Amino acid sequence: MSNTPMAASPLTRAVLEIDEYVSGLGWDQPARLFALVDTARLRADQPSLADRLGLQDEPESSGLTPIEQDEIPTDQALDEFLGTIAWPDAVVGCALVVERLMLPPSAEAQVPQGLNEAKLAQWVAEHPDRQEVRMTVAVLRDGARDSALRLREKDSATDVLTGSDLVPGLAQALSATFEE
């Protein structure tokens, strides 16, 4: 997972590493949650784990190490699940990867009124302009955030869009997992 640009911030590199890892698993994947830990601290506090993760040879300034967490329950709404998370102090951030269907802004005027959540999801799934997108969103305890978006129809590392405010609602939900 080392094809990420070295000029990027540690958080951006972590987001792109996670995007690259999940990309290798293919599409139609469940949501995935990652803890982000300081790599230097991990090497110092947990040398055997760092060795198993192949981090002993990483440069000292390598930044953040993503560690995938257990599967996210599929029988619970994602926002409800995120509300149950409490991170230990060693976790400096977290990231979530989800796949969703998105519509262009021009489709907003076409949305039929009065649809419940299930009917709206069906309408979006059947819309001819829908796009399948994989969103990787990460936040740090200090409030920093970054994200990567990958369209299924442009499934290439060179076509991944990055930015701090691409998925603000999801970033806010992840930030809330660090609130006391």
Side-chain angles (χ1 to χ4, degrees):
M1 295 195 309
S2 59
N3 293 332
T4 58
M6 291 312 296
S9 73
L11 184 57
T12 301
R13 283 196 310 271
V15 165
L16 291 172
E17 285 176 12
I18 293 167
D19 172 75
E20 184 179 341
Y21 163 72
V22 174
S23 173
L25 301 173
W27 284 86
D28 305 316
Q29 295 291 314
R32 294 175 184 277
L33 181 66
F34 296 81
L36 299 176
V37 297
D38 179 87
T39 304
R41 182 173 174 188
L42 177 64
R43 268 196 300 260
D45 294 350
Q46 305 259 343
S48 63
L49 176 59
D51 193 43
R52 284 196 315 260
L53 294 174
L55 300 175
Q56 295 301 1
D57 297 329
E58 291 286 317
E60 286 300 316
S61 62
S62 61
L64 301 168
T65 297
I67 300 174
E68 188 169 5
Q69 303 300 290
D70 292 335
E71 247 180 61
I72 295 175
T74 57
D75 61 343
Q76 186 177 19
L78 186 58
D79 58 342
E80 290 175 13
F81 169 73
L82 291 175
T84 67
I85 295 174
W87 297 105
D89 291 340
V91 175
V92 298
C94 65
L96 182 71
V97 180
V98 293
E99 294 179 11
R100 293 290 185 259
L101 291 177
M102 295 181 74
L103 294 175
S106 60
E108 283 184 36
Q110 303 168 10
V111 177
Q113 297 299 311
L115 295 180
N116 64 25
E117 193 172 325
K119 293 279 188 192
L120 179 60
Q122 180 182 352
W123 183 83
V124 170
E126 294 171 352
H127 196 283
D129 294 331
R130 73 186 177 283
Q131 293 280 329
E132 290 180 73
V133 63
R134 180 181 300 125
M135 301 176 280
T136 303
V137 179
V139 299
L140 297 179
R141 282 185 190 271
D142 68 7
R145 55 176 66 174
D146 211 337
S147 52
L149 296 180
R150 182 186 289 252
L151 294 174
R152 189 171 191 156
E153 76 174 23
K154 294 183 177 186
D155 192 6
S156 161
T158 59
D159 288 320
V160 174
L161 179 64
T162 60
S164 61
D165 290 320
L166 297 177
V167 192
L170 190 51
Q172 181 58 40
L174 288 174
S175 293
T177 66
F178 292 102
E179 294 174 3
E180 300 285 323

